[in-house]
Amino acid sequence: MKRFATYGLVALGILFLAAVAGVFSSVRALAQTTIRAALVKNVDERGRVPYQAEVETCSNNVVAVCTLLFPSIPAGKRLVVEHVNGIFVRADQNAGNGVLPVLLTDCRPLSGCPDPFRVANRPTFVLPIYTIESDEWGVSANLLAYVEEGAQPAVGVLISNFAQGGFFSPFVTITGYLIDKTN
């Protein structure tokens, strides 16, 4: 008989706890439905849509300028360029003359960009170059540049006294992030 009484009390205790838990959980659910957090969209967060592109061939015949064209920026997006990094190897009889300013600009698909040094009305950045060896040069620059939707980021390298039949090998990386275009 004692055993049935003990089981009965345990069962009543479990029912009581279930009732109490149900009351408190319904209050919490009620609080959650009446107090709602504001939803926020981080449209300009730096790491939201990271961007990195590499190009290792000139898009033109190298005579005095090597133009490196990067992929077009998708519709509805704006590229924020934060860093340009590259290395240039030159093998011709005038290799000691080096490479001159490296420019970052943007090219529009309709007007093209055969020579970024002669593109008018475009934002351009002259990037510092440094010598690695007598026939190798590098560029590494932090900057803040914007490239609009449909445009192509472009890097131009001016090569002084480039000899016919010479060899020029670029490798350039641009990094940054894409943001939604709002205007």
Side-chain angles (χ1 to χ4, degrees):
M1 191 68 154
K2 255 184 166 183
R3 181 187 259 174
F4 288 117
T6 305
Y7 287 145
L9 288 175
V10 169
L12 283 174
I14 290 173
L15 285 173
F16 177 74
L17 286 174
V20 169
V23 168
F24 286 122
S25 66
S26 66
V27 170
R28 190 178 81 203
L30 179 65
Q32 288 175 344
T33 58
T34 57
I35 303 171
R36 295 185 183 178
L39 298 176
V40 177
K41 183 177 179 184
N42 263 347
V43 295
D44 291 337
E45 183 179 338
R46 297 171 72 155
R48 187 165 170 254
V49 184
Y51 179 89
Q52 177 175 327
E54 300 166 348
V55 174
E56 45 186 293
T57 55
C58 300
S59 65
N60 59 334
N61 293 329
V62 177
V63 177
V65 175
C66 169
T67 304
L68 299 134
L69 290 176
F70 292 84
S72 295
I73 305 307
K77 299 290 184 184
R78 177 179 290 138
L79 172 62
V80 180
V81 179
E82 293 184 305
H83 193 81
V84 177
N85 189 14
I87 188 166
F88 311 100
V89 179
R90 177 179 175 178
D92 70 318
Q93 64 188 18
N94 299 324
N97 290 331
V99 296
L100 297 173
V102 176
L103 287 173
L104 172 74
T105 186
D106 67 337
C107 298
R108 306 295 196 282
L110 295 177
S111 62
C113 189
D115 183 351
F117 289 89
R118 296 195 177 143
V119 176
N121 300 322
R122 297 278 194 269
T124 57
F125 296 85
V126 178
L127 308 174
I129 60 172
Y130 57 91
T131 302
I132 299 171
E133 290 187 18
S134 63
D135 61 348
E136 291 182 8
W137 296 267
V139 61
S140 182
N142 293 321
L143 64 134
L144 183 61
Y146 300 95
V147 182
E148 299 299 326
E149 64 182 351
Q152 289 180 271
V155 171
V157 183
L158 187 60
I159 307 163
S160 61
N161 299 326
F162 190 69
Q164 289 294 341
F167 173 77
F168 184 74
S169 175
F171 183 81
V172 178
T173 303
I174 59 174
T175 57
Y177 57 97
L178 292 169
I179 58 175
D180 292 334
K181 188 173 179 183
T182 56
N183 52 11

